[in-house]
Amino acid sequence: MSAEHPGLMINRMGAGESTAPGQRCSIQDRATAVSSAHHYLPAFQSFSNFTGNRDDRGVCQCSVILPDNTFPAVRVERLEITAQTISKKFEKELSKVKEYVQLISKYEEKLLNLTVRVSIMENDFISYTELDFELIKMEVKEMEKLIKQLKVGFAGSTVIIDQLEVEIRNMTILVGQLETLDKNNVLAIRRQMLALKNKLKECEEASKEENPPPPPPPAPGSCAHGGVVNVSKPAVVQLNWLGFSYKYGAWGRDYSPQNPGNGVYWVAPLNTNGRTLQYYRLYNTKDDLLLYTNARQNQITYGQGSGTVVYKNNMYVNWYNTQNMAKINLTTNRVDLSQALPNAAYNNRFSYANVGWQDMDFAVDENGLWVIYATEASTGNIVISKLNDTTLAVLNTWHTKQYKPSVTNTFMVCGVLYATRTLNTRIEEIFYYYDTNTGQEGRLNIVMQKMQENVQSINYHPFEQKLFVYNDGYLLNYDLVFQQIPQ
């Protein structure tokens, strides 16, 4: 039996019948037809007088056409509507799930970061303040709120959310424990240290009240102190008026005990050969010096080296190519006196280190005029002589054990010689002293900063208590700090 849409082919052959091929046949029996085609035809359908053909084997074949209204079209339409409604609901719920998954991933990462931070705090010995703990607490509370919102809005399985809630709860407990531990240890120690600092401060204030204030610095021109103990940083006054090429020379301020605060400023750069002194300038005030104005420029023939000094309106120099000391009157610019310095080496025999032709270095302090030099008899060690500033006669002489060519320069303060040496291109050190008052000598360690590499001359002014330093063409000032003597 076979069927095809929209009709049904029913094959039938009667019992005991024999038909020739191609002979037509007919179906009269409704029951038989229904019995043969009950899989395809409804029971209430009636069939009659269907005709067909017999095949080569005598089998009767016929066609039955079924009506189209048997398919449930209404039910299919309902099914389609229901499917669309379910699909929309599914898409909506799926979008919610995706949103929740993103939020969970975000706060899972945040929770992991918090876990790392707390782990570091557990293992680290560095103390944390209450603010650190408060910040972590705020983040944990924020995650707790999110978890509650997720639990309310998320329908279905909440296994992941439950796990996150447990971890956040554990995190809260752990932060509380860490905070308690820190308070019991580090924060407590901090409070103890603060208390100790307060006690020390109270003790310091109490000691200040018990001990009298230190004595004031010595008066200008006074020697009521224990010697030089420190120097200030250099103050650059200016470059010498001839320029940077004139690296050698000296400068300072005239000192007179009768008129200590009103001496002229003088600048005496050597020629570029570093030996001859030919020109010098005088300035009545420091403002004139700074502005290069109102200068009196004088010429001499010739001074030698940068050991120049001015005392009581007279300039003292080593006269060129001789063993003589020369006294030049600043008012007339004439050599009033020239006197030999007994036994003094000259013409660059025992000059300072890094400074040529300074065999005689004149100096002024509270006690008057001095000259620092060396002799063949002293084998190059420093010799100090006190001079009569009027006659240039040697009043007294002291021999030291310090080799002069190993020293970069010297100056006198209250009868004490101070010697410097180079530590590097930016640091000079006052390393040696000789006290003519007691005959004692010794080592010091007073650091002097400098602008350029070489120091050509150092002069001291007793009233200002300053050093006037000629440093590779630059004019520098230093304030001296003295050891105070309790009253």
Side-chain angles (χ1 to χ4, degrees), residues 82-338:
T82 304
Q84 290 177 359
T85 303
I86 292 174
S87 177
K88 290 180 181 178
K89 289 183 178 180
F90 175 77
E91 292 294 335
K92 183 178 181 180
E93 295 300 323
L94 182 61
S95 64
K96 286 185 179 180
V97 170
K98 289 181 179 178
E99 182 180 352
Y100 290 150
V101 168
Q102 290 177 355
L103 287 173
I104 289 171
S105 299
K106 176 182 176 182
Y107 280 90
E108 188 176 16
E109 182 181 354
K110 206 167 187 178
L111 182 62
L112 179 61
N113 292 336
L114 272 176
T115 305
V116 174
R117 286 171 57 187
V118 172
S119 176
I120 292 173
M121 291 174 69
E122 282 184 297
N123 299 324
D124 204 347
F125 293 102
I126 301 175
S127 63
Y128 292 85
T129 63
E130 288 95 342
L131 179 60
D132 296 322
F133 290 109
E134 288 300 324
L135 291 175
I136 293 178
K137 281 182 178 180
M138 289 174 62
E139 292 187 33
V140 173
K141 287 180 180 178
E142 184 180 349
M143 287 193 293
E144 286 179 348
K145 291 180 180 179
L146 175 70
I147 289 296
K148 291 178 182 178
Q149 292 175 2
L150 287 176
K151 291 187 72 174
V152 171
F154 191 82
S157 176
T158 60
V159 176
I160 298 177
I161 297 178
D162 291 339
Q163 290 177 354
L164 284 174
E165 186 178 20
V166 171
E167 289 190 33
I168 291 173
R169 190 180 302 115
N170 293 337
M171 177 73 73
T172 305
I173 296 171
L174 183 57
V175 171
Q177 290 175 349
L178 281 174
E179 187 179 20
T180 303
L181 179 64
D182 191 71
K183 281 183 177 178
N184 290 337
N185 291 277
V186 179
L187 295 180
I189 292 172
R190 277 188 174 184
R191 286 192 290 268
Q192 291 176 5
M193 290 178 65
L194 183 60
L196 286 174
K197 285 182 179 179
N198 291 333
K199 288 183 180 180
L200 287 173
K201 189 175 181 180
E202 291 175 1
C203 291
E204 185 179 2
E205 291 176 355
S207 64
K208 286 181 180 179
E209 293 177 358
E210 294 175 1
N211 299 327
S222 169
C223 290
H225 54 75
V228 178
V229 294
N230 206 352
V231 295
S232 69
K233 291 183 179 180
V236 181
V237 178
Q238 64 174 196
L239 182 66
N240 79 88
W241 93 87
L242 290 175
F244 184 76
S245 298
Y246 291 79
K247 293 180 178 294
Y248 297 87
W251 85 293
R253 188 181 185 189
D254 181 20
Y255 174 69
S256 172
Q258 293 74 27
N259 195 13
N262 294 322
V264 296
Y265 292 88
W266 57 273
V267 182
L270 303 183
N271 291 341
T272 53
N273 61 12
R275 178 180 181 180
T276 54
L277 171 60
Q278 186 175 5
Y279 297 97
Y280 67 90
R281 277 187 175 185
L282 304 175
Y283 301 89
N284 289 327
T285 67
K286 192 172 184 178
D287 289 340
D288 290 340
L289 171 67
L290 294 173
L291 298 174
Y292 300 104
T293 58
N294 302 320
R296 289 178 288 155
Q297 181 170 315
N298 295 327
Q299 179 180 0
I300 60 174
T301 56
Y302 289 109
Q304 180 169 280
S306 53
T308 308
V309 78
V310 173
Y311 181 60
K312 294 181 179 179
N313 199 43
N314 292 294
M315 178 177 285
Y316 297 87
V317 300
N318 175 204
W319 203 242
Y320 182 78
N321 201 32
T322 70
Q323 196 183 44
N324 290 351
M325 303 175 288
K327 176 183 177 182
I328 304 169
N329 188 308
L330 295 184
T331 303
T332 62
N333 191 38
R334 298 179 62 177
V335 177
D336 285 351
L337 180 66
S338 179

